Amino acid sequence: MKLNYTIDYNGPGETLRIASDPSSEVFIEAGTLAGFVGQFEDSGVQAIGVPGQVVNIRDRVTQPMEGGFTLVVWDPKIWPKVRAAFSSRYEGQLVLKGPVRELYLPVRLAESLPSPDAHPEKGSRIEVRLIADGGVWLDPVVDPGPRVVVSNAGDVPVWLRIDWEGAGGKVTMPSGASFTLPRVTGMHTLLLDRRHAGEVYLPDGSYSNMLSRQIGAFAEMVPVGGEAEVVIPAGAQVSYSQGVYDPWI
């Protein structure tokens, strides 16, 4: 089977965009990509006298994802820029472009980059090891509604987010719970995942305690294989990402 895809890397804040195109001054060497496939653990329940085990996929634990590749740098002058494009604290992004879809993987350094040569030569190589704390490749979806049907064909639960501006209005969640988005100026963001339930962020990215308290704490997700509907007002949109372990299927 022939895999028709390209993979690129964008440094934090797009400090440097590295393509897999060998005509670039720095590129990911063909055939060196390894890993970057999801790992998970299932906890089965066993009963005395009953062979095997019963696994509830909803109890699956997804592990961080690791992988690496070799970079080829043709222009020795850009070595400082290449090293600055990778960080153990700030995430860059791998972008996998296939014939059907485009997937994204937030990554950071799993280990420090090797020490450089005192006088790097043209075409020097460097091994890069990365870790994706989220454990899955992301397939993002944005839907302006007003009725948004969220279908989760991925490998992990889908957590929702709402961006809105203008007059606001009533939102009805998959569970049937509802709340009202207040009138605002500029695009605001409401996070509905378990970790940031009901947190609202202003257009400049800062947290708004007042708006968060006004809306209340909500967390909504769509399980693997599930489908749910969200109803939103004009000026709002629902964003979510399906997460997949294996981006090559």
Side-chain angles (χ1 to χ4, degrees), residues 5-232:
Y5 69 89
T6 62
I7 189 162
D8 303 334
Y9 171 79
N10 299 328
E14 295 200 356
T15 49
L16 181 65
R17 303 187 67 181
I18 299 173
S20 52
D21 181 1
S23 65
S24 304
E25 59 184 8
V26 54
F27 61 90
I28 299 171
E29 186 174 15
T32 65
L33 189 70
F36 299 121
V37 176
Q39 306 293 323
F40 57 86
E41 291 183 6
D42 289 329
S43 298
V45 177
Q46 296 176 305
I48 297 175
V50 179
Q53 65 179 358
V54 175
V55 175
N56 187 343
I57 300 302
R58 295 188 179 187
D59 295 333
R60 174 171 287 174
V61 176
T62 299
Q63 303 295 334
M65 182 189 300
E66 294 194 31
F69 48 76
T70 301
L71 281 185
V72 180
V73 183
W74 280 109
D75 185 356
K77 295 180 181 179
I78 69 168
W79 267 109
K81 192 174 182 180
V82 170
R83 297 188 71 89
F86 296 93
S87 171
S88 63
R89 294 180 295 164
Y90 305 108
E91 290 182 330
Q93 191 174 70
L94 285 175
V95 183
L96 179 67
K97 301 176 183 178
V100 178
R101 59 183 177 176
E102 192 168 295
L103 300 175
Y104 301 86
L105 184 67
V107 290
R108 59 184 179 84
L109 280 177
E111 58 186 43
S112 298
L113 295 177
S115 301
D117 292 332
H119 302 286
E121 298 179 353
K122 180 178 180 180
S124 294
R125 288 165 167 76
I126 186 171
E127 302 296 323
V128 179
R129 295 291 304 172
L130 300 171
I131 184 169
D133 297 304
V136 289
W137 289 84
L138 301 176
D139 185 3
V141 177
V142 178
D143 194 324
R147 293 184 177 274
V148 179
V149 177
V150 181
S151 297
N152 185 5
D155 298 311
V156 294
V158 160
W159 294 92
L160 305 178
R161 153 182 164 169
I162 295 177
D163 299 293
W164 89 100
E165 61 181 346
K170 182 179 179 180
V171 174
T172 302
M173 301 302 295
S175 64
S178 63
F179 55 86
T180 300
L181 296 173
R183 179 183 293 274
V184 295
T185 300
M187 189 64 75
H188 287 54
T189 296
L190 169 63
L191 301 181
L192 297 168
D193 61 274
R194 182 177 293 164
R195 189 175 301 170
H196 305 95
E199 293 184 359
V200 176
Y201 290 85
L202 304 176
D204 64 2
S206 61
Y207 170 70
S208 172
N209 182 59
M210 181 187 70
L211 292 177
S212 300
R213 293 179 63 185
Q214 184 175 340
I215 291 176
F218 284 88
E220 293 269 353
M221 67 88 171
V222 179
V224 174
E227 186 174 274
E229 182 180 78
V230 185
V231 182
I232 55 176

